[in-house]
Amino acid sequence: MTKIKWPVEPQRPAFARALVALGNTHKDVVVASADVSTSTMTGVFAKHFPERHYNFGIAEQNMISACAGLATTGKVVYASTFAIFGTGRVYDQIRQSVCYPRLNVKLVVTHAGITVGGDGATHQMIEDIALMRALPNMTVIVPADAPETEKAVLAAADHEGPVYIRLGRANVPVCTTSEECQDFEIGKATTMREGSDVTLVGTGIMVAKCIEAAEELEKHNVSARVINLSTIKPLDKRTLIKAARETGAIVTAEEHSVVTGMGAAVALVLAENAHVPMKRVGIPDSFGESGSSDELMQKYGLTVDDIVDGAHDVLKRKK
Amino acid sequence: MTARDKNSELFTRQYTGREAMVEHYSDEKIKELETTARLIRRHIIQMIFDAGSGHPGGSLSATDVMVALYFDIMEHNPDDIKWPDRDRFVLSKGHAAPALYACLAETGYFPVEELKTLRLIGSRLQGHPDMRKTPGVEASTGSEGQGLSMGLGMALAGKLDNKEYITYVMVGDGELNCGQCWEAAMSAAFFKADNLVAIVDRNKLQLDGPTNQIMSIEPLADKWKAFGWDVIEINGHSFPELLDALHKAKETKGIPTVIIADTVKGKGVSFMEGQVGFHGKCPSEEEYNQAMAELGGI
């Protein structure tokens, strides 16, 4: 089994770096936290620009709507908390206060997904992509690693309207160092590796695993293309349809519920445009539980092996 | 030209400190506002009757507060709706949209004729306020409980930018059942948002019945005080009291102010007054005729 020796780096310091950079270049950028600024690392921005940081305490509903109010005056507002508290708990505020009036609020959540680990199911947000991509006017980005996080947070500032950026807690393999990954653009998928037999579409921390799976498949003479689908809304339909037509089989991989997550979004595009055998690797329709990140990834079907198995499955169904 | 400039000859400023009456209004000025309020109420009945649906009760109870703000207190400019220094008004109880639209039309944000299009397909006048569609609407509201937070955000931006504008937010008393209102109340005091003024349309009725029977919010003044706000209790249909309270609110430093405006749901139309049934009910043709007759004499 191939094991790539990735350098690892958490996404949150990259987020903090980007915020501080924006603080210097964009005078209208303000940041809002909901008590967990030490963990989300918005506290770093607060140290540099105390007058432009608001800590709303454990009151996320108020935070989101207040961010909307700030944005009406021309501020570019970054709001941050854990994914679990920044989405489902405040869905109506995001819908009514932010998305409907299309305001410049950038919601950057951390501690997303099952890899939060020991805190258990109450803190493992695995349906946020589903919630956020259902909202009109929302842009949904799941960066693959720390460098892409920095680029996405910077890009969001110049994007007109609401943006959702999903980050994890743990160390993430740095996999976007190659040439083709350097020009991050919202809405543009990156082909990380060429291939002709099957396409592995990953998002977030699953992108590195897709690359590892492609290397594994190569040993079995399977040529796997790898796409980093960091923007889930709007979807880069062209790249996805092209991959489906050229490779004839698709596997998606996400650290999220398979119920209406990224895989489901891709499936809908393919069903209407390029119908090919497909497999969604992700968390089954269930809640998580306590455990280490690695144990949970194993138990809930988010390993390199799961992606490889998925590829074999779609290859079998490919005529 | 701001609404304030237009009327400046009608009163004289007499700032003598926080506790004193800060403005004196002539009887003519008060009469003029009362006449305007009747006009706004006629528009409300006409709009809801034309649309075939809407919320007359809570629009009529909120009318005098909005007239005081749009026709006297607020500095705003219909010819420059994005003027950064304008005072802001957020109608958190978004279902009173007809009252807001009538005030905006009569102060020149869009033609009065357009009021006929309320709730029609393609209209700029949505059933609940939409800041992207309607000139002069500062916030999209309608999902109860969010407007005070939005107003707080505007107030915080004003502080950050050293601007002197005031943000006024009207909340319903039923709306105060929402926990988010109290999150906003807690944080506005914490952030010392003295440029934020909340006005409670205390009409004592919510959709299902009297507020003290559905979900009591009493002791209301004590709650706001406990959250760190300056509280002013007034008759929300008395212009001298409204204007006095709104001027006091402007002058309060260090803490936000809430004006608890005691009002009557359906105010101005005898058979709607105090009737929970007219929360969200369109009047029949007969009721419409009677209501318009009662509101006549402009």
Side-chain angles (χ1 to χ4, degrees):
Chain A
M1 169 94 221
T2 319
K3 190 80 183 150
I4 301 177
K5 284 269 177 260
W6 303 99
V8 293
E9 194 187 337
Q11 292 173 305
R12 290 173 290 151
F15 167 40
R17 273 199 305 278
L19 279 186
V20 172
L22 286 170
N24 287 314
T25 56
H26 291 58
K27 67 178 174 45
D28 286 331
V29 163
V30 299
V31 175
S33 303
D35 186 48
V36 290
S37 65
T38 316
S39 304
T40 61
M41 298 189 71
T42 48
V44 177
F45 179 90
K47 279 212 182 68
H48 283 79
F49 307 99
E51 73 290 354
R52 284 153 69 185
H53 176 260
Y54 302 96
N55 196 329
F56 287 92
I58 308 171
E60 294 81 5
Q61 300 184 345
N62 183 44
M63 174 178 77
I64 297 293
S65 298
C67 288
L70 279 155
T72 64
T73 70
K75 302 292 175 204
V76 178
V77 193
Y78 282 78
S80 187
T81 180
F82 297 163
I84 194 77
F85 308 130
T87 54
R89 188 180 180 89
V90 285
Y91 181 78
D92 191 52
Q93 283 72 19
I94 298 171
R95 182 185 193 275
Q96 315 280 4
S97 294
V98 176
C99 284
Y100 180 50
R102 214 170 57 252
L103 290 168
N104 244 340
V105 177
K106 322 298 175 183
L107 184 54
V108 185
V109 300
T110 67
H111 297 63
I114 203 161
T115 48
V116 161
D119 282 340
T122 57
H123 285 55
Q124 292 162 348
M125 178 38 100
I126 55 174
E127 67 274 8
D128 53 319
I129 294 173
L131 289 169
M132 294 302 112
R133 82 180 179 89
L135 287 166
N137 295 336
M138 184 59 107
T139 291
V140 180
I141 305 174
V142 186
D145 61 5
E148 196 169 66
T149 297
E150 200 163 341
K151 292 187 186 112
V153 173
L154 293 172
D158 298 318
H159 174 91
E160 194 66 31
V163 177
Y164 178 73
I165 299 178
R166 180 193 212 236
L167 308 178
R169 177 187 67 87
N171 276 328
V172 180
V174 176
C175 63
T176 64
T177 49
S178 59
E179 185 80 13
E180 63 274 12
C181 297
Q182 296 319 299
D183 297 323
F184 176 84
E185 201 182 306
I186 292 175
K188 196 169 145 280
T190 317
T191 303
M192 312 282 285
R193 183 186 165 112
E194 290 298 342
S196 51
D197 296 329
V198 61
T199 302
L200 312 178
V201 182
T203 198
I205 64 169
M206 297 306 283
V207 174
K209 291 192 190 297
C210 285
I211 296 170
E212 288 187 38
E215 298 215 345
E216 184 65 23
L217 287 162
E218 198 171 22
K219 290 187 200 158
H220 303 275
N221 293 320
V222 174
S223 164
R225 183 177 300 188
V226 175
I227 290 173
N228 170 13
L229 194 64
S230 46
T231 306
I232 293 173
K233 186 179 183 177
L235 268 184
D236 185 348
K237 292 183 188 172
R238 250 186 68 188
T239 299
L240 292 167
I241 293 166
K242 185 165 171 275
R245 289 195 179 134
E246 289 176 1
T247 67
I250 300 270
V251 177
T252 58
E254 60 193 312
E255 188 207 358
H256 185 275
S257 165
V258 290
V259 181
T260 66
M262 176 274 275
V266 172
L268 293 179
V269 169
L270 298 185
E272 289 180 342
N273 295 284
H275 198 197
V276 296
M278 187 181 165
K279 170 78 184 171
R280 289 168 300 147
V281 171
I283 299 164
D285 185 14
S286 69
F287 288 108
E289 63 185 288
S290 291
S292 74
S293 296
D294 284 345
E295 286 166 342
L296 291 165
M297 294 290 273
Q298 191 89 35
K299 183 164 178 178
Y300 288 84
L302 299 168
T303 65
V304 173
D305 285 344
D306 291 305
I307 301 169
V308 170
D309 290 350
H312 286 310
D313 175 48
V314 290
L315 285 167
K316 240 181 281 163
R317 286 190 275 135
K318 202 171 136 179
K319 59 187 181 318
Chain B
M1 187 167 73
T2 67
R4 161 64 58 78
D5 294 336
K6 238 186 288 182
N7 302 314
S8 57
E9 71 279 9
L10 294 167
F11 60 83
T12 51
R13 280 172 179 273
Q14 291 191 355
Y15 288 111
T16 53
R18 158 83 184 85
E19 294 303 323
M21 171 86 173
V22 287
E23 302 264 0
H24 286 303
Y25 286 82
S26 64
D27 291 347
E28 298 88 83
K29 177 65 190 171
I30 298 297
K31 223 179 200 119
E32 187 189 307
L33 289 170
E34 286 168 352
T35 306
T36 302
R38 255 195 321 279
L39 170 67
I40 298 299
R41 286 191 165 93
R42 282 171 65 93
H43 282 316
I44 291 168
I45 297 298
Q46 185 70 49
M47 290 165 83
I48 293 174
F49 182 68
D50 288 344
S53 69
H55 298 83
S59 299
L60 293 168
S61 65
T63 296
D64 297 317
V65 171
M66 281 192 243
V67 167
L69 287 170
Y70 274 97
F71 292 85
D72 187 82
I73 295 290
M74 289 204 302
E75 301 204 26
H76 62 116
N77 187 350
D79 298 323
D80 182 9
I81 59 172
K82 294 292 170 199
W83 178 39
D85 296 304
R86 71 194 184 279
D87 288 334
R88 272 98 170 145
F89 176 71
V90 175
L91 181 62
S92 191
K93 46 169 287 184
H95 58 277
L100 174 60
Y101 296 155
C103 287
L104 290 173
E106 285 292 347
T107 47
Y109 283 88
F110 51 83
V112 172
E113 272 293 286
E114 199 171 332
L115 293 175
K116 285 191 190 126
T117 67
L118 173 72
R119 291 182 172 237
L120 297 185
I121 190 143
S123 170
R124 296 198 291 180
L125 307 184
Q126 295 292 295
H128 291 82
D130 180 332
M131 64 176 283
R132 292 290 185 189
K133 288 202 168 81
T134 315
V137 167
E138 297 283 359
S140 299
T141 52
S143 185
E144 301 286 84
Q146 300 184 24
L148 191 56
S149 303
M150 295 177 195
L152 171 62
M154 295 173 191
L156 292 176
K159 290 266 178 202
L160 188 57
D161 295 340
N162 293 314
K163 295 207 173 288
E164 291 185 350
Y165 66 77
I166 308 274
T167 302
Y168 300 90
V169 181
M170 175 178 258
V171 294
D173 51 3
E175 182 180 12
L176 291 176
N177 292 170
C178 296
Q180 185 180 350
C181 293
W182 300 103
E183 291 184 358
M186 188 188 300
S187 61
F190 179 76
F191 289 127
K192 302 184 171 56
D194 53 15
N195 53 351
L196 177 67
V197 177
I199 302 141
V200 181
D201 182 14
R202 184 74 175 108
N203 63 32
K204 300 170 287 293
L205 290 175
Q206 55 196 108
L207 192 149
D208 263 350
T211 52
N212 62 1
Q213 288 173 28
I214 303 306
M215 181 49 64
S216 175
I217 52 173
E218 292 296 346
L220 187 58
D222 289 345
K223 279 194 175 74
W224 286 100
K225 278 178 202 153
F227 276 80
W229 287 57
D230 191 27
V231 183
I232 305 174
E233 295 181 89
I234 55 155
N235 172 354
H237 299 307
S238 156
F239 279 106
E241 287 189 35
L242 272 168
L243 298 167
D244 186 35
L246 287 164
H247 280 292
K248 277 181 181 158
K250 272 195 206 190
E251 302 307 313
T252 302
K253 293 296 166 215
I255 58 173
T257 299
V258 59
I259 296 169
I260 301 176
D262 187 25
T263 59
V264 175
K265 202 155 180 170
K267 176 72 178 177
V269 178
S270 61
F271 59 90
M272 290 187 181
E273 287 191 359
Q275 295 303 311
V276 74
F278 276 102
H279 170 85
K281 197 183 108 184
C282 174
S284 67
E285 188 163 356
E286 194 184 330
E287 289 166 337
Y288 160 77
N289 286 328
Q290 191 189 332
M292 292 304 265
E294 288 184 20
L295 293 168
I298 291 165

